């Protein structure tokens, strides 16, 4: 089993690890800071430095309790390696991920809208909502609200909470989606605003998100509305 370093420290940019499995340029490490795609957040990219040079990591994903790193070179088992995250790309995903939580918080508080799916890309991100009565014009109000929360510079905290506590306190969290064997739930809390069970990486303060622009609003049916956002000061990666 791999220790998931990014769950406790989203700002970890490099780390040392041991290769515990290696087959056809797919490696498993004893610990990793590489985020495996999931929960709408794409896979990290980066490099793994090892005795014979460096390999490019182009895809990371979970397979049962393992994290698979797809690399472009063979790396032997039992090698001690150094992993280096493509930080500009990861940081962009962190900013988008926190932006989506702010958006979902506003849509829930103002319209009781629940998220049905989410996806972050390199140049935008989107949330789909189960939402019926919503006028297109209201999207500008939503955009203002998102930017207000960002500007307030609220702290984003990561907590590990006992499953029973989550059931008591966080009505919005879809606890029923969390497998029964999970005793502790990771919570991402935007101070005084929103808390969600989440496995993704986030910025420490909402200010880091920068200005959000609603890029598109798509009516995908009676219950399904899609909101796309872009980060205006999207420092190119
Ligand atoms: Zn999330």
């Amino acid at each position: 089993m791999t220790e998931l370093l990014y769950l406790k420290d989203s700002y970890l940019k490099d780390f040392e690890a041991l290769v515990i499995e290696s087959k056809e340029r797919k490696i498993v490490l004893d610990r990793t800071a590489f985020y495996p795609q999931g929960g709408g957040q794409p896979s990290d990219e980066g490099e793994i430095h090892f005795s014979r040079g460096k390999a490019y990591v182009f895809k990371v994903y979970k397979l049962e309790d393992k994290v698979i790193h797809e690399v472009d070179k063979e790396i032997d088992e039992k090698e001690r390696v150094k992993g280096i995250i493509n930080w500009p790309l990861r940081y962009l995903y962190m900013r988008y991920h926190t932006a989506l939580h702010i958006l979902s918080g506003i849509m829930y508080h103002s319209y009781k809208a629940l998220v049905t799916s989410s996806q972050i890309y390199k140049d935008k991100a989107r949330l789909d909502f189960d939402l019926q009565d919503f006028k297109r014009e209201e999207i500008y109000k939503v955009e203002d609200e998102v930017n207000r929360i960002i500007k307030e510079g609220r702290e984003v905290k990561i907590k590990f909470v006992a499953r029973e506590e989550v059931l008591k306190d966080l009505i919005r969290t879809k606890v029923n989606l969390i497998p029964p064997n999970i005793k502790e739930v990771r919570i991402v809390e935007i101070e005084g605003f929103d808390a969600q069970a989440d496995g993704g990486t986030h910025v420490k303060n909402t200010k880091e998100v920068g200005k959000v622009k609603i890029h598109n609003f798509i009516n995908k049916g009676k219950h399904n509305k899609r909101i796309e956002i872009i980060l205006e000061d999207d420092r190119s990666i």
Side-chain angles (χ1 to χ4, degrees):
M1 210 166 134
T2 306
E3 187 190 349
L4 308 175
L5 303 169
Y6 59 84
L7 288 179
K8 288 191 174 134
D9 183 3
S10 294
Y11 287 78
L12 190 62
K13 302 171 184 73
D14 54 63
F15 63 100
E16 278 168 18
L18 181 72
V19 178
I20 51 176
E21 278 178 46
S22 179
K23 202 179 168 192
E24 292 161 354
R25 297 180 182 175
K26 293 186 176 81
I27 65 164
V28 178
L29 303 171
D30 63 341
R31 56 210 292 272
T32 191
F34 281 99
Y35 182 78
Q37 63 188 41
Q41 185 177 331
S43 157
D44 275 341
E45 297 172 24
E47 289 174 354
I48 286 179
H49 292 201
F50 64 114
S51 61
R52 288 180 290 111
K54 54 186 173 186
Y56 182 66
V57 180
F58 54 91
K59 196 176 173 187
V60 186
Y61 54 93
K62 272 190 180 170
L63 193 66
E64 289 150 10
D65 64 346
K66 288 175 187 171
V67 176
I68 311 290
H69 303 71
E70 287 197 5
V71 289
D72 66 350
K73 289 191 185 79
E74 287 297 342
I75 306 176
D76 294 336
E77 263 173 43
K78 300 203 173 82
E79 275 239 32
R80 289 226 152 258
V81 298
K82 185 178 182 184
I84 300 167
I85 310 295
N86 175 340
W87 180 251
L89 178 63
R90 154 68 89 71
Y91 189 57
L92 182 69
Y93 291 155
M94 282 161 60
R95 290 167 61 220
Y96 265 118
H97 202 150
T98 303
L100 289 183
H101 279 220
I102 296 169
L103 175 62
S104 80
I106 285 161
M107 293 304 289
Y108 180 76
H109 297 314
S110 305
Y111 305 97
K112 293 279 165 283
L114 288 172
V115 172
T116 54
S117 87
S118 70
Q119 189 59 49
I120 298 167
Y121 304 92
K122 286 181 180 175
D123 58 350
K124 65 178 178 187
R126 62 139 178 103
L127 287 178
D128 286 5
F129 293 96
D130 182 347
L131 173 63
Q132 284 196 65
D133 301 313
F134 185 83
K135 293 191 192 75
R136 189 170 281 271
E137 306 85 76
E138 290 181 75
I139 205 72
Y140 299 107
K141 216 165 72 191
V142 171
E143 187 181 270
D144 286 347
E145 284 292 290
V146 169
N147 285 305
R148 184 176 62 80
I149 297 289
I150 291 169
K151 275 196 202 137
E152 284 171 353
R154 291 178 187 249
E155 246 188 273
V156 184
K157 294 177 181 166
I158 305 292
K159 293 191 208 165
F160 292 85
V161 180
R163 185 189 180 86
E164 306 80 65
E165 292 302 307
V166 179
L167 282 165
K168 257 193 290 176
D169 298 339
L170 296 171
I171 310 121
R172 267 194 68 209
T173 307
K174 293 174 186 160
V175 170
N176 53 350
L177 295 178
I178 300 164
N181 60 327
I182 306 267
K183 299 277 180 278
E184 257 198 344
V185 181
R186 182 176 182 267
I187 303 293
V188 173
E189 184 186 336
I190 299 172
E191 211 176 16
F193 171 67
D194 181 65
Q196 293 180 44
D198 192 77
T201 59
H202 288 264
V203 294
K204 280 186 187 139
N205 188 293
T206 57
K207 265 191 181 149
E208 293 178 51
V209 173
K211 198 166 193 292
V212 165
K213 198 168 167 47
I214 306 268
H215 178 59
N216 214 346
F217 173 78
I218 306 164
N219 191 341
K220 291 175 71 74
K222 197 170 174 225
H223 283 273
N224 191 5
K225 307 286 184 287
R226 174 169 292 182
I227 299 176
E228 290 179 353
I229 60 164
I230 50 171
L231 297 180
E232 274 208 332
D233 61 337
D234 183 354
R235 299 147 222 170
S236 77
I237 48 162

